[in-house]
Amino acid sequence: MYRSSNIVARVFDRQICTPAPGTSVHHARRFYENLVPSHTVYEVECPDHSFRKFTDDGQYLISFSRNHQELIVYRPRWLSFSCKDEDCDKHDLPSRAKRFDSFFSQLYCVPLASCNELICKDFFLYMESNQFGLFATSTAQIHDAPAVGGAVHGVPSIEKITFHLLRLEDGEILDKKVFSNDFVNLTHNMGVFLYDDLLAIVSLRYQTIHILQIRDSGNLVDVRAIGEFCREDDELFLNSNAQRIQRLRKKFYFHFQDYVDLIIWKVQFLDRHHLLIKFGSVDGGPQVSRNADHHPAFVAVYNMDTTEIVSFYQNSADELYLLFEQFCDHFHATSRNSMYMNFISSHSNNIHALEQLRSIKDKASSSAQFVKKMLASLPFSCQSQSPSPYFDQSLFRFDDKLISATDRHRQSTDHPIKFILRRYPYSLKFKIKPGPEAGSMDGRAKKISSFLFHPILPLALSVQQTLFLQPSVVNIHFRR
């Protein structure tokens, strides 16, 4: 099929060619091969904020104040300036283009945290249908807290964790949910999962999955708690049948002691009725999740309505890995209203991602260790991937060690990150350089980078920071 590098020719080609049935959206996304960030404004003059991410519909840019007390929300806008000459591309951008407010307008600044609480800067979930945002604040962790009231020994305690539901249009706080003397892993949304209007919050300390519903009115309503009891009348049943239950417990513990010693680590929705639950050892505390492939773990599919375990796998099971390889998109449970998240590349929908996975598999020294490493990502963290078309592996090739759709900080590099066309002529389309234009003055300082890509526009932020709390270097990459 004829494809020109000229966007006008491609528009004309679109007028006379009809894409195959069911491929119109994918066909339209190929225009991003021509619409790329072509210019970078280095070291933008901007507030010293902690920039979190764009919302999945591109309407808002979420950021937090450096003292982690305030939420600041921006609306993306496009740089505009006038030029009287015929060839404006030869002219430098006006000095105002170096300012952050030329690209973003501040909507509001809302204080979220109280005097002894801080905003959890790695946590944010977005409900696209209502444009609600869920944020969290917490007090400091207590690592040696006594395990009282049924708490798991070795899990830290946080005196107060507060979830705030905001309407992002105007910043109004609609509702709050408080957990006291508990522990929820909020790093990269790991302990909370949003699916449509349902919210699952995992209490690691008390081993309870709290299911809440977000109403259209903006209320957080408790639906059920899955933990010591699974049905509403379980406690009544156990108390009224104490002797018979005791005999069952003895039999259960005798045969299933290894399973009993496991605790819930992480949860995600598969749909409105099923949860994917990861069980692991309590040894090592919450930090065990960072080296999950080195520890024995199990994954279960749980039906909330029937309170039954539908299936149960060890994290080294080949059967589970085959399901993961062939049906990876089914594990990425996305809300039905979020159409942008349907185009994230995975090895079950993209031949290039599958080839990359199989290449890693072929190079692995141990098949069992490879399976464990791959399955360590299950359950997936909620809203942890960018839907930007520049991460579509059918359109562009890039080094996923330096940058990817996954929301993670990266070890910074002084070399530009290249995005190369997957199709002929396989040319370099654009580069992203996270640091200063002239490079870092101190090459010894350890630097990390984060990348915030707009889900629709050819617009991205690269943020580079050192570990010594110096002001971040912010670059804006856009199509000029």
Side-chain angles (χ1 to χ4, degrees):
M1 182 178 178
Y2 171 76
R3 290 191 185 91
S4 171
S5 59
N6 185 291
I7 193 168
V8 176
R10 294 193 72 160
V11 171
F12 179 74
D13 180 51
R14 183 177 66 177
Q15 299 289 1
I16 61 176
C17 297
T18 302
T23 65
S24 58
V25 176
H26 295 278
H27 187 79
R29 280 172 66 86
R30 292 175 185 162
F31 275 80
Y32 283 102
E33 295 174 338
N34 296 75
L35 297 168
V36 299
S38 59
H39 188 82
T40 298
V41 178
Y42 290 96
E43 300 181 69
V44 175
E45 299 174 13
C46 70
D48 188 22
H49 295 335
S50 175
F51 295 102
R52 178 65 181 92
K53 67 181 296 184
F54 289 100
T55 55
D56 292 338
D57 57 7
Q59 294 293 311
Y60 307 98
L61 172 63
I62 306 300
S63 68
F64 307 117
S65 60
R66 278 294 177 190
N67 62 3
H68 300 153
Q69 296 286 311
E70 298 168 321
L71 162 70
I72 305 101
V73 175
Y74 293 92
R75 175 87 73 191
R77 64 181 183 183
W78 208 250
L79 177 68
S80 63
F81 64 97
S82 60
C83 176
K84 296 180 180 179
D85 296 337
E86 292 184 3
D87 191 357
C88 294
D89 289 338
K90 293 182 179 180
H91 288 265
D92 292 332
L93 293 174
S95 58
R96 184 172 173 78
K98 294 278 288 184
R99 295 169 57 94
F100 184 81
D101 57 11
S102 294
F103 294 86
F104 301 93
S105 57
Q106 181 176 319
L107 296 182
Y108 49 82
C109 176
V110 176
L112 277 188
S114 61
C115 57
N116 63 338
E117 285 185 290
L118 296 175
I119 295 173
C120 303
K121 63 184 179 66
D122 289 332
F123 178 82
F124 165 65
L125 291 176
Y126 181 53
M127 189 176 183
E128 186 181 324
S129 57
N130 298 91
Q131 295 192 344
F132 292 163
L134 188 71
F135 302 89
T137 59
S138 72
T139 55
Q141 287 188 26
I142 305 171
H143 291 279
D144 55 352
V148 296
V152 175
H153 179 74
V155 176
S157 178
I158 298 176
E159 182 181 354
K160 184 180 180 184
I161 304 170
T162 307
F163 291 96
H164 307 258
L165 186 68
L166 271 76
R167 185 169 55 223
L168 291 184
E169 182 182 12
D170 55 12
E172 182 180 350
I173 298 176
L174 303 173
D175 203 355
K176 296 181 182 181
K177 175 72 175 179
V178 177
F179 291 82
S180 300
N181 302 312
D182 208 332
F183 186 87
V184 178
N185 192 353
L186 298 173
T187 305
H188 302 297
N189 305 338
M190 290 183 69
V192 184
F193 201 94
L194 175 66
Y195 181 80
D196 290 338
D197 58 343
L198 295 178
L199 194 66
I201 301 176
V202 181
S203 162
L204 285 179
R205 186 163 170 79
Y206 293 102
Q207 287 296 285
T208 302
I209 304 169
H210 299 272
I211 306 295
L212 289 79
Q213 184 180 34
I214 302 177
R215 297 283 175 84
D216 290 342
S217 58
N219 296 111
L220 291 168
V221 180
D222 290 316
V223 176
R224 70 183 68 184
I226 303 168
E228 185 177 3
F229 307 112
C230 297
R231 296 182 187 271
E232 293 180 356
D233 60 349
D234 278 354
E235 185 174 11
L236 176 63
F237 175 79
L238 291 174
N239 291 335
S240 60
N241 298 272
Q243 292 183 349
R244 181 159 62 88
I245 295 300
Q246 191 62 32
R247 288 196 298 270
L248 291 174
R249 279 181 174 174
K250 287 181 179 179
K251 184 178 179 181
F252 180 82
Y253 282 133
F254 181 79
H255 291 287
F256 299 102
Q257 187 62 46
D258 291 338
Y259 297 152
V260 172
D261 290 340
L262 299 174
I263 67 169
I264 297 172
W265 277 123
K266 197 175 177 184
V267 169
Q268 75 165 90
F269 282 104
L270 292 176
D271 54 37
R272 294 185 67 86
H273 309 284
H274 294 87
L275 297 174
L276 188 68
I277 306 176
K278 182 174 186 176
F279 297 89
S281 169
V282 72
D283 296 337
Q287 307 304 325
V288 75
S289 59
R290 296 182 180 177
N291 302 303
D293 54 311
H294 299 302
H295 296 266
F298 298 85
V299 177
V301 177
Y302 176 76
N303 187 315
M304 294 190 296
D305 297 334
T306 64
T307 69
E308 293 177 339
I309 298 289
V310 178
S311 55
F312 194 79
Y313 301 96
Q314 192 165 359
N315 66 335
S316 57
D318 291 331
E319 182 183 357
L320 179 60
Y321 171 76
L322 290 175
L323 292 173
F324 172 75
E325 181 179 291
Q326 298 173 18
F327 306 104
C328 182
D329 292 345
H330 293 267
F331 291 95
H332 280 289
T334 58
S335 299
R336 55 177 173 245
N337 299 302
S338 183
M339 65 176 185
Y340 307 101
M341 304 304 290
N342 295 330
F343 301 100
I344 291 176
S345 296
S346 75
H347 44 262
S348 62
N349 66 29
N350 187 281
I351 185 63
H352 305 290
L354 180 60
E355 289 175 353
Q356 190 176 41
L357 177 72
R358 289 180 174 170
S359 174
I360 297 172
K361 184 177 182 180
D362 293 339
K363 294 176 183 177
S365 57
S366 165
S367 176
Q369 202 62 31
F370 166 79
V371 169
K372 281 186 178 181
K373 187 173 182 178
M374 291 297 107
L375 296 181
S377 60
L378 295 178
F380 286 124
S381 295
C382 187
Q383 298 182 11
S384 62
Q385 293 190 297
S386 168
S388 168
Y390 303 110
F391 293 122
D392 188 333
Q393 295 194 45
S394 63
L395 301 180
F396 298 98
R397 178 165 56 88
F398 47 85
D399 188 344
D400 65 351
K401 295 184 182 66
L402 302 177
I403 193 170
S404 75
T406 304
D407 177 24
R408 288 289 187 275
H409 295 297
R410 306 276 173 164
Q411 185 70 41
S412 192
T413 173
D414 289 331
H415 304 289
I417 301 170
K418 300 177 181 179
F419 287 75
I420 301 169
L421 276 182
R422 281 284 186 190
R423 306 172 193 274
Y424 183 82
Y426 314 110
S427 56
L428 172 65
K429 292 303 294 184
F430 69 100
K431 301 177 182 179
I432 295 288
K433 188 176 186 297
E437 186 174 15
S440 174
M441 297 297 292
D442 184 5
R444 297 169 299 175
K446 189 174 182 180
K447 301 177 288 291
I448 57 174
S449 298
S450 56
F451 304 93
L452 288 73
F453 276 69
H454 194 278
I456 305 165
L457 302 174
L459 172 68
L461 297 180
S462 61
V463 183
Q464 185 186 72
Q465 60 193 70
T466 64
L467 301 182
F468 301 105
L469 300 180
Q470 297 175 349
S472 301
V473 175
V474 179
N475 304 328
I476 297 181
H477 313 269
F478 68 104
R479 178 175 174 82
R480 180 173 173 177

